[in-house]
Amino acid sequence: LSASDVNLIFDLEKKKMTTYCNAIQLEQVISNLVINAKHAVYESSKKDITISSRLRDGRAIIEIHDTGTGIPEDIIEKIFDPFFTTKDVGKGTGLGLSISYGIISEHNGNLSVTSSPTSGTTFRITLPIQPVSTDFE
């Protein structure tokens, strides 16, 4: 990201959050969202991507926000559809967001998006928190 003059900002929860998940799959989702955010800020004057996490109502909230131009209203409902892409031919398969949505759903979570031409785009991952066990039986 630094080679593309993109600022990566972290705003992470101080409390430990434990969720039952496949770490490799969660990493795949976050990586995909960050790569998409990098493409979104490519032509922006402000090239910021913020990854934040919060603990809210027994759920882990992870947000990836970019300062790009946003997703047009007429396509935002389609972005999680398989093979839907706004990228040029050969630049994307249109599967990244669909696969990410499926992975988060399989983890009893939710992947949602909000977007505005003036404030950029935020993808929100919501996952259930697992209770901390003190039993070692």
Side-chain angles (χ1 to χ4, degrees), residues 31-41 66 87 96-97 123:
S31 293
N32 180 57
L33 295 174
V34 169
I35 288 167
N36 285 351
K38 176 187 168 197
H39 294 152
V41 300
D66 68 63
K87 295 177 182 166
L97 288 175
F123 282 90

Side-chain angles (χ1 to χ4, degrees), residues 4-131:
S4 301
D5 292 325
V6 175
N7 302 311
L8 185 59
I9 302 158
F10 291 96
D11 178 20
L12 304 176
E13 174 74 48
K14 302 286 187 241
K15 295 178 186 173
K16 182 177 179 179
M17 297 183 288
T18 304
T19 185
Y20 181 76
C21 68
N22 180 312
I24 293 170
Q25 288 182 329
L26 187 57
E27 191 175 308
Q28 177 185 0
V29 170
I30 293 170
S31 293
N32 180 57
L33 295 174
V34 169
I35 288 167
N36 285 351
K38 176 187 168 197
H39 294 152
V41 300
Y42 180 73
E43 293 184 9
S44 294
S45 58
K46 186 176 182 184
K47 296 179 173 146
D48 291 345
I49 298 171
T50 303
I51 300 174
S52 62
S53 64
R54 297 283 176 266
L55 182 59
R56 194 172 297 136
D57 299 324
R59 300 183 73 73
I61 311 291
I62 303 166
E63 292 182 336
I64 293 86
H65 174 78
D66 68 63
T67 55
T69 57
I71 302 168
E73 276 186 50
D74 61 330
I75 67 166
I76 200 161
E77 295 295 324
K78 302 174 189 174
I79 64 168
F80 294 115
D81 292 349
F83 303 109
F84 180 81
T85 184
T86 59
K87 295 177 182 166
D88 294 335
V89 174
K91 299 285 184 187
T93 62
L95 291 173
L97 288 175
S98 175
I99 290 169
S100 295
Y101 188 89
I103 288 171
I104 297 303
S105 294
E106 288 173 8
H107 287 84
N108 296 316
N110 186 47
L111 177 60
S112 61
V113 62
T114 56
S115 190
S116 160
T118 56
S119 62
T121 300
T122 301
F123 282 90
R124 176 181 283 183
I125 301 166
T126 306
L127 293 168
I129 292 295
Q130 298 301 311

